[in-house]
Amino acid sequence: MLDTIKRGFIVGLKTTWTLGKVIFPVTLLVTMLQYTPVLDWVIKWIAPIMGWFGLSGDAAIPLVLGNFLNLYAGIGAILTLDLTVKEVFILAVMLSFSHNMIIESTVAAKVGMKIWVIVTVRLGLAFISAFVINLVWKGGSELAKYGLVSTTDEQISGWGAIVLNGIEKATFGILQLALIVIPLMVVIQILKDLKWLDVFSKWMTPVTKALGMKENTSTTLAAGILFGLALGAGVMIQAVKEDNVSKKDVTLALIFLVSCHAVVEDTLIFIPLGIPVLPLLLIRLITAIILTMVIAFIWKRVEQNNRKEVIYGN
C-alpha cells in the first residue's frame, strides 16, 4: 500500500508540474491585464452585439470578465448591474459554457486538442444557447433580485503591487491545484492497484459507449465533470500515458468536458443570482451529450468511408 501511495504521489506531483507550467504564467498575465485598458477595449467592442442575445450593452462587462478571468469575476460583475431575470439567466448559461477561457483552454490543449477548436466550441455554444433562449423564452422581464453577496474588490495601485498580486494569485492557484490533484492521483493509483477502477469503468461502459468512447475514458470524464476542465485535462494526460486512451476518445472526452465540467461547483455558485439552476445544469448536460454523440457519429462515418476507400482502392 505504501508503494502505491508513493507512486500516486509522484504522479500527482508530475501532473501538478505539467499543469502549473501553464497555469502560473497565464494567471500572472491575466491578473495584470485587469489593471490595463485591454479589458475596457474588449468590452466596448463587444457591447454593440449584445442585443442579438437579448442583453443590454452593460452585459458585456460580466461576459468579458468571466471569459478573461473566471466565473466568480463574471458573477461579481452581474451583481453590480440592474438586469432582468432573463438577462441574468442568459448570462449564466453563456458563462457556464464559456469562462476562464485562457487558462482552461491552454491547459486542455496540453492533451493534444488545438486551442482554436476548444475556444470555438465554447464560444459557439455560449452564443448559440443565448440566441436560442432569447428567441424561445418570452418571460423573465422582471428585475433580478440577488442574494447577499459581497462585491467589493481590493484596490491595488502601482505595478510592483500589481505584479506581486499576480504572483500571489498564480501561486495560490497552483497550491489549490496540488491539493486536489495529488490526493486524487493517489486515490486513482490505489483504485487501479485494487482493480476497483476496472469495476468503475465497467459500470460506466453504457455511458461512455453512448458517447462514442471506450470504457477506459470513464475516469477522465468523472474527474472533469466533478472537478473541472483543468483537472480533467490533468487526469487525461496521465490516462493517455498509462491507459492507452486513443486520440479519438481523448478528443471526444474533451469535447464533452468543454461543454460540461465542474457541474456541481459551477451550478451552485449561480444560486445567489436568484435564477433557477436546475435548467442551467440540464442545458449544459444535454448540450454536452448531444454534441459529443453527433461528433462521435460523424467521426465513425468518416472512418468507415476511409476504410472503404482503402479496401476498394486496392
Side-chain angles (χ1 to χ4, degrees), residues 197-223 225 236 245-246 248-254 256-257 288-289 292-297 300:
L197 208 56
D198 295 336
V199 176
F200 174 73
S201 294
K202 287 178 181 177
W203 288 348
M204 289 285 290
T205 297
V207 177
T208 51
K209 276 188 175 180
L211 294 172
M213 292 172 271
K214 294 179 181 176
E215 62 184 39
N216 60 353
T217 322
S218 59
T219 308
T220 298
L221 276 180
I225 290 170
M236 202 180 300
V245 178
S246 67
K248 175 186 175 182
D249 289 344
V250 165
T251 304
L252 291 176
L254 266 177
F256 185 92
L257 291 179
I289 291 171
T292 307
M293 291 178 71
V294 168
I295 292 176
F297 175 77
K300 185 177 180 180

Side-chain angles (χ1 to χ4, degrees), residues 7 13 35 107 184:
R7 287 204 307 274
L13 282 177
Y35 303 95
V107 168
L184 181 63

Side-chain angles (χ1 to χ4, degrees), residues 115-177:
I115 289 182
W116 71 266
V117 176
I118 299 170
V119 172
T120 301
V121 170
R122 298 186 72 185
L123 287 178
L125 289 175
F127 290 134
I128 291 170
S129 61
F131 184 80
V132 171
I133 292 169
N134 180 46
L135 203 64
V136 173
W137 188 17
K138 302 304 179 183
S141 58
E142 65 277 13
L143 279 178
K145 295 178 181 179
Y146 308 128
L148 298 175
V149 179
S150 173
T151 59
T152 55
D153 277 330
E154 183 184 355
Q155 296 299 317
I156 298 174
S157 60
W159 277 107
I162 290 171
V163 172
L164 181 61
N165 181 50
I167 292 173
E168 287 176 353
K169 284 188 176 181
T171 303
F172 185 65
I174 301 300
L175 288 175
Q176 281 184 312
L177 183 72

